Amino acid sequence: MSDHTDRVPLRDRLRAIPTFATELPEFAPDRAPDSPVALFVEWLEEALRSGVPEPHVVNLATADAAGRPSSRFLILKDVDESGWRFASDSTSPKGRDLAANPNAAIACYWPKQGRQIRARGPVVPEPPERSAADFLARSPEARAEALVGGQSEPLVSAEERAAAVARERERIAAAPDTVSPTWTLYTLQPESVEFWQASPDRRHIRLRYDRELSGEWRRTLLRP
Ligand SMILES: Cc1cc2nc3c(=O)[nH]c(=O)nc-3n(C[C@H](O)[C@H](O)[C@H](O)COP(=O)(O)O)c2cc1C
């Protein structure tokens, strides 16, 4: 195997990887629901039924006050007519980005179905009681890590960190409703949502929903 990979240049091996090779689902944009949330939920249910691995992992792109972007994957907690919900620490880099610039974008790709969805809009923090409910639904390990805090800061001492996490585990055991004051449930309120359905003949179908001032969604088909 290493012989083969040694001989074939990386760029050629990348080019040889098939995309959209599987049997892909149908998408008839003229029969799509009026709301992009309804279509997202439809696609997500189909992804869950057909065993797409971790379809709830989405990419979140934010930008800082200077407009410098960064993105990372996180767990989608819920979606409804208010928008796409995710949770993180407000003191993390993404939390600081969102405080300085609430405009963000979420994207996901489900290769098994050749489907990409992206949503863009402002992100708002949910009230503390909703963030607390999300926090308390997490595992004790995840809660202890979050209580120690400092996400994305340099790890100076693994031992000290482990000791701090162990202390937080004890605190949680003694007071199970302990909540991190900075853990935040956020909602991305969509202004525009695009659904992209791959087609093996490359005539990909793209449908974008744009929210109008009236609150209605305008639908536009896009060139692939
Ligand atoms: C599959 C997966 C799920 C993740 N879920 C979350 C999550 O729900 N919330 C979170 O804050 N970080 C989550 N992370 C970690 C983030 O990707 C990221 O490393 C962390 O939040 C720090 O990001 P930041 O430095 O941009 O703030 C997840 C990572 C992966 C790979």
Side-chain angles (χ1 to χ4, degrees), residues 50-208:
S50 58
V52 170
E54 303 184 21
H56 65 329
V57 175
V58 300
N59 183 265
L60 171 75
T62 56
D64 67 13
R68 288 174 302 193
S70 47
S71 80
R72 77 291 289 155
F73 293 89
L74 38 72
I75 300 286
L76 180 67
K77 294 294 176 80
D78 199 6
V79 56
D80 62 23
E81 287 303 327
S82 307
W84 276 249
R85 296 228 166 74
F86 58 90
S88 192
D89 200 300
S90 62
T91 62
S92 68
K94 75 183 91 47
R96 294 199 300 270
D97 280 3
L98 291 170
N101 174 3
N103 295 300
I106 271 182
C108 49
Y109 172 53
W110 301 326
K112 212 173 169 182
Q113 302 181 307
R115 285 178 166 177
Q116 171 184 239
I117 303 151
R118 52 187 185 155
R120 196 170 65 179
V123 170
V124 294
E126 291 293 321
E129 59 275 15
R130 300 200 67 191
S131 297
D134 180 85
F135 185 81
L136 292 172
R138 305 181 78 216
S139 69
E141 293 79 15
R143 275 182 276 158
E145 283 290 344
L147 284 165
V148 174
Q151 190 181 54
S152 302
E153 283 172 20
L155 179 64
V156 178
S157 157
E159 291 75 26
E160 276 174 30
R161 174 91 197 169
V165 172
R167 281 195 297 277
E168 294 303 337
R169 283 296 300 266
E170 283 169 23
R171 184 149 80 106
I172 291 170
D177 50 3
T178 304
V179 162
S180 158
T182 50
W183 187 256
T184 308
L185 185 67
Y186 292 98
T187 302
L188 183 143
Q189 300 175 331
E191 286 176 345
S192 139
V193 188
E194 186 200 314
F195 295 83
W196 191 101
Q197 173 65 68
S199 171
D201 62 6
R202 295 300 192 265
R203 289 161 64 187
H204 310 310
I205 300 169
R206 299 178 63 192
L207 173 64
R208 193 180 67 210

